[in-house]
Amino acid sequence: MPVTRIPPVPSSEITPRDVWMNRRTLLAGAAGTIAASSLPGTAWAAPVIEPLSAPRNPAFAPSDQPTDKKLATTYNNYYEFGTGKADPARNAHTLKVRPWTVEIVGEVAKPRTVGIEDLLKMAMEERVYRFRCVEAWSMVVPWVGFEFNKLAALVEPTSRAKYVRFTTAARPDEMEGLRASRAALDWPYTEGLRIDEAMHPLTMLTLGMYGETLPNQNGAPVRIVVPWKYGYKSAKSLVRIEFLEKQPVSSWTKAAMHEYGFYSNVNPEVDHPRWSQSRERLLPGLFASRKTEMFNGYAEQVASLYAGMDLKANH
Amino acid sequence: MSRVAALPVPPWRATVEAALARRGVVAGLKAVIVALALFPLATIAWAMLFDPAMLGANPAETIIRTTGDRTLQFLLYSLAITPLRRITGIGGLIKFRRMLGLFAFFYGVVHLSSYVGFDRFFVLDEIVKDVVKRPFITVGFAALVLMTPLAVTSTKGWIKRLGGPAWNRLHKLVYAVAILGVVHYWWLVKRDLTWPAIYGAVLAVLLAWRFMKARTVRTRTVRN
């Protein structure tokens, strides 16, 4: 029983469809210039793409040229918007990325909820990372963001924090894939890292790419990027970050345990049941002529995290 | 057959039958089928030469998926001929079956070749490992291997050499090929099984029709 009765809206006050559709188009066009925060409580979605440039960190510039932006923003795995590679670019505009908050909780001294505008105020840098999908294709992406450990420092993880779980937004109203008759995955999407992996300087809390804020299909407004692991470890559109004592189970592991392990480090020697991981296709190339490198080429920086571990058992 | 023939004979049946008895009509229709069947491949070739963006961000994947889809589709078309002949009573449809089957084989070969070249970069030991270790590749490969003798013996000469009954028995292999093909697709897909399920459902109908037919024929024989 509703406690209060919502007064009916007289039909004269209802905006005709063609009018609000026009407004929507206008907004979409103006999204680059109008700060979204100046439009509180807008009832319709408009992707927010704003310039977000930061100095490029020369330490992270692989020999390959960054992938064409159009390609990197139209070929995506983001099952919340459909399982086809072109689906997210087509459907993700319905996700409302303002206002947006990220809840940071768990084994921390100072749990807090941060707004996206606060995250955007942090000092940022651009890093060009290799991005390797478990499906044996790869891209090279200039991400904009900052090291995750800087965010962690704000909440002060306790000694009990051994793992971190990242949770993606799950909004059926705004995410077409969540309304599908058969769920592709167990929503919300969650991923996890060991605390030392999360705090590693390579792990980046990412708010932009190609000098702009993230497009929705690439995980707007904020995502994690872990360049030495397969792409699905880099969870998108984060609403919650939890520091945990026990190892969390991520969505893909839940879906197929023997196929997607907790670590999911890029490793040419450990085959996935569907894909040999020994080589990869650097998109948009035709041939998978490139040999996949251990830890996606970041072995020098991260191999020590796994010293003495059986990487086949801990795949 | 007589009991089933209670259905009214559609008036256009005789016309279609008569048309399919004429060489020129059949040759013309075959030319149309060839053009339609080669259209997807021609599109790919054109895109590769003039407009790679048409093939999307992952052109190799597009090519492998498209040719795999066509293989399954032509297999199902060829399997639909017999039920269609029986249901419509147009026997002349048989004239197009071989061609549809051969196109299935043709796209299967292109499909395998693109995997060998694009995905595995012609590295033989990786391919062997894939075929042995990856179930979806194992069944896909098996399907194409089983299709090979069918393609080879599809000529009139081979029908004569083997004799009708033996040839028919050999070509029952196409059922196994189609089942393996659907399983190949099913196992390949990561999460969304919509398309494998659609192919599977069509194949199930086509096979179920044959099964029912065989059963009614058998019971009738017993009763007589």
Side-chain angles (χ1 to χ4, degrees):
Chain A
M1 280 295 282
V3 183
T4 54
R5 205 175 80 79
I6 300 165
V9 180
S11 61
S12 61
E13 280 179 34
I14 297 174
T15 313
R17 184 183 157 83
D18 55 333
V19 173
W20 60 256
M21 284 304 285
N22 275 336
R23 279 188 202 155
R24 189 185 291 212
T25 321
L26 275 175
L27 271 174
T33 44
I34 301 172
S37 53
S38 68
L39 301 166
T42 43
W44 48 80
V48 179
I49 300 284
E50 293 162 344
L52 186 70
S53 55
R56 181 172 289 190
N57 184 334
F60 302 99
S63 50
D64 301 292
Q65 283 302 306
T67 305
D68 177 55
K69 176 179 155 191
K70 183 164 180 252
L71 197 160
T73 55
T74 52
Y75 188 79
N76 308 98
N77 276 322
Y78 196 166
Y79 281 16
E80 282 84 339
F81 298 107
T83 54
K85 293 282 188 300
D87 292 344
R90 207 169 26 230
N91 301 331
H93 63 93
T94 50
L95 180 68
K96 291 172 200 160
V97 295
R98 299 288 189 281
W100 192 280
T101 54
V102 186
E103 209 185 338
I104 312 171
V105 291
E107 306 292 350
V108 292
K110 296 176 176 167
R112 60 181 283 188
T113 298
V114 286
I116 192 67
E117 54 290 341
D118 296 325
L119 292 175
L120 284 164
K121 274 181 213 144
M122 303 274 289
M124 279 187 242
E125 59 178 307
E126 181 178 71
R127 289 185 185 182
V128 183
Y129 277 163
R130 282 181 288 270
F131 184 90
R132 171 64 157 77
C133 179
V134 72
E135 296 162 351
W137 52 263
S138 61
M139 297 184 186
V140 177
V141 186
W143 302 107
V144 180
F146 52 89
E147 289 176 14
F148 175 77
N149 54 49
K150 291 186 178 144
L151 182 74
L154 299 178
V155 292
E156 297 171 21
T158 68
S159 60
R160 285 220 300 258
K162 306 261 167 53
Y163 296 92
V164 183
R165 173 161 59 202
F166 302 92
T167 304
T168 298
R171 303 177 182 169
D173 290 346
E174 300 170 27
M175 295 171 146
E176 184 170 310
L178 269 63
R179 301 196 296 267
S181 54
R182 267 184 325 147
L185 288 167
D186 191 9
W187 317 114
Y189 189 91
T190 60
E191 257 309 337
L193 294 173
R194 219 168 56 188
I195 188 80
D196 55 344
E197 297 177 320
M199 304 300 259
H200 192 281
L202 280 184
T203 303
M204 209 176 163
L205 196 78
T206 303
L207 295 112
M209 63 197 286
Y210 297 93
E212 291 174 337
T213 50
L214 288 169
N216 285 5
Q217 63 270 28
N218 291 84
V222 58
R223 65 177 295 175
I224 198 81
V225 171
V226 194
W228 71 94
K229 293 174 180 282
Y230 293 118
Y232 57 87
K233 291 298 286 184
S234 296
K236 304 188 182 83
S237 308
L238 301 176
V239 290
R240 192 191 236 285
I241 296 169
E242 293 158 279
F243 290 79
L244 306 169
E245 189 167 10
K246 291 218 173 74
Q247 181 175 306
V249 181
S250 52
S251 287
W252 276 106
T253 309
K254 224 183 274 177
M257 196 171 58
H258 56 290
E259 294 187 29
Y260 310 96
F262 175 76
Y263 285 95
S264 297
N265 292 317
V266 175
N267 187 339
E269 281 142 41
V270 177
D271 276 355
H272 182 275
R274 285 163 211 275
W275 303 279
S276 152
Q277 299 295 11
S278 60
R279 54 180 66 249
E280 69 200 51
R281 171 181 297 126
L282 181 61
L283 295 181
L286 206 47
F287 293 95
S289 52
R290 181 171 292 248
K291 292 255 183 204
T292 291
E293 290 177 78
M294 190 65 196
F295 297 115
N296 203 22
Y298 299 98
E300 206 181 303
Q301 292 94 328
V302 300
S304 60
L305 294 175
Y306 311 102
M309 267 176 75
D310 177 351
L311 294 177
K312 202 175 170 75
N314 296 290
H315 65 91
Chain B
M1 217 49 218
S2 56
R3 216 170 298 183
V4 186
L7 280 167
V9 178
W12 43 264
R13 197 177 81 181
T15 324
V16 176
E17 273 284 45
L20 289 182
R22 288 166 56 188
R23 276 199 167 179
V25 174
V26 173
L29 283 173
K30 280 188 174 175
V32 171
I33 294 174
V34 169
L36 287 176
L38 288 178
F39 186 73
L41 194 72
T43 312
I44 288 170
W46 195 87
M48 279 172 82
L49 288 173
F50 305 112
D51 187 8
M54 245 176 85
L55 295 172
N58 195 342
E61 182 187 64
T62 309
I63 294 168
I64 295 173
R65 289 283 165 89
T66 310
T67 51
D69 267 333
R70 296 300 162 186
T71 309
L72 272 174
Q73 286 161 14
F74 279 107
L75 266 174
L76 295 179
Y77 297 153
S78 71
L79 281 171
I81 291 289
T82 298
L84 274 179
R85 286 175 70 209
R86 291 287 151 77
I87 291 164
T88 63
I90 301 166
L93 288 173
I94 191 74
K95 290 173 182 165
F96 305 102
R97 191 174 65 178
R98 168 170 49 195
M99 155 179 250
L100 295 171
L102 282 174
F103 269 117
F105 182 66
F106 170 73
Y107 273 108
V109 170
V110 180
H111 179 64
L112 178 73
S113 313
S114 15
Y115 151 78
V116 164
F118 300 151
D119 268 16
R120 294 275 72 88
F121 205 49
F122 307 105
V123 180
L124 190 69
D125 66 310
E126 283 186 20
I127 297 162
V128 173
K129 234 192 272 171
D130 255 4
V131 170
V132 177
K133 274 178 68 177
R134 270 168 254 291
F136 87 92
I137 294 181
T138 315
V139 295
F141 190 75
L144 196 65
V145 168
L146 291 180
M147 241 200 280
T148 311
L150 307 190
V152 171
T153 61
S154 65
T155 60
K156 283 209 177 91
W158 268 103
I159 300 176
K160 223 174 267 171
R161 220 165 302 165
L162 289 173
W167 187 90
N168 265 323
R169 241 176 290 133
L170 174 65
H171 280 251
K172 293 255 189 295
L173 265 181
V174 71
Y175 304 143
V177 170
I179 292 169
L180 289 173
V182 170
V183 171
H184 168 64
Y185 195 5
W186 198 282
W187 284 350
L188 145 84
V189 167
K190 230 162 46 161
R191 287 309 279 176
D192 186 352
L193 287 170
T194 312
W195 276 101
I198 290 170
Y199 284 119
V202 173
L203 178 63
V205 168
L206 293 173
L207 294 184
W209 180 87
R210 286 173 167 82
F211 179 75
M212 305 286 277
K213 205 79 191 161
R215 228 178 48 166
T216 46
V217 169
R218 213 172 303 131
T219 45
R220 208 172 297 140
T221 321
V222 171
R223 218 176 291 153
N224 290 350

